[in-house]
């Protein structure tokens, strides 16, 4: 919440991903993730969010890798003590690298269209113009 984007970027293992109900972002490196975290923070500021909590409901070590944890979190965005959005669940993977637990993927049960959790680092290409429209412009 304090715009310390560098610290957030340091807490992620790359490559990574963020998935919502309506979009998936592949994150190959730090620079690719920066537009998303800035967009999310700006969107929260516009909506008056003063606190963002991710409360762990369940976490287990992966059965085949003691350096990986899979967890389910309930997420809250608040303005003071009032919810700004309905709480939603997130599945998060953590991996241990060089003594530090890093986020290695996130699936959120919420709409990106509404909350702009994900912003693609490059513009999404427009869909191709239908052939009929091309023919109309040539006549």
């Amino acid at each position: 919440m304090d715009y310390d984007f560098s610290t957030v970027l340091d807490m992620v293992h790359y490559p990574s991903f963020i998935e919502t109900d309506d979009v998936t972002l592949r994150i190959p490196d730090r620079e690719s993730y920066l537009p998303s975290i800035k967009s999310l923070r700006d969107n929260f500021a516009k909506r008056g969010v003063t606190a963002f909590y991710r409360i762990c409901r369940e976490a287990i070590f992966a059965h085949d890798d003691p350096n990986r944890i899979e967890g389910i979190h309930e997420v809250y965005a608040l303005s003071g003590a009032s919810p700004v959005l309905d709480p939603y669940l997130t599945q998060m993977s953590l991996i241990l690298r060089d003594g530090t637990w890093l986020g290695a993927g996130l699936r959120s049960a919420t709409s990106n269209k509404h909350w702009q959790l994900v912003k693609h680092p490059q513009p999404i290409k427009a869909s191709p113009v239908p052939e009929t429209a091309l023919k109309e412009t040539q006549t």
Side-chain angles (χ1 to χ4, degrees):
M1 297 305 290
D2 62 3
Y3 294 89
D4 184 2
F5 301 124
S6 183
T7 297
V8 174
L9 294 171
D10 288 344
M11 297 170 64
V12 177
H13 178 271
Y14 303 96
S16 192
F17 69 93
I18 296 177
E19 182 179 298
T20 67
D21 291 344
D22 49 359
V23 70
T24 298
L25 176 65
R26 301 286 173 210
I27 308 168
D29 52 40
R30 291 171 59 92
E31 294 75 27
S32 297
Y33 191 29
L34 186 57
S36 288
I37 60 174
K38 284 183 175 180
S39 174
L40 175 62
R41 183 60 186 102
D42 290 347
N43 194 20
F44 278 178
K46 287 178 197 171
R47 295 173 185 261
V49 174
T50 57
F52 184 76
Y53 295 101
R54 189 176 276 131
I55 299 172
C56 183
R57 296 296 180 207
E58 178 181 320
I60 59 169
F61 284 95
H63 74 280
D64 60 345
D65 186 354
N67 295 316
R68 183 177 192 91
I69 296 174
E70 299 293 335
I72 302 291
H73 302 85
E74 195 163 356
V75 178
Y76 297 87
L78 306 172
S79 179
S82 301
V84 177
L85 70 149
D86 292 333
Y88 60 89
L89 294 178
T90 296
Q91 184 272 324
M92 181 187 292
S93 299
L94 300 174
I95 58 171
L96 183 62
R97 290 293 183 262
D98 300 322
T100 303
W101 288 99
L102 301 171
L106 185 71
R107 289 182 177 90
S108 292
T110 191
S111 169
N112 187 68
K113 182 178 178 182
H114 183 70
W115 285 104
Q116 298 171 12
L117 298 172
V118 172
K119 181 175 181 174
H120 287 274
Q122 299 167 350
I124 298 171
K125 294 180 180 176
S127 58
V129 178
E131 266 187 59
T132 54
L134 288 175
K135 287 178 183 176
E136 290 172 8
T137 60
Q138 293 172 353
T139 57

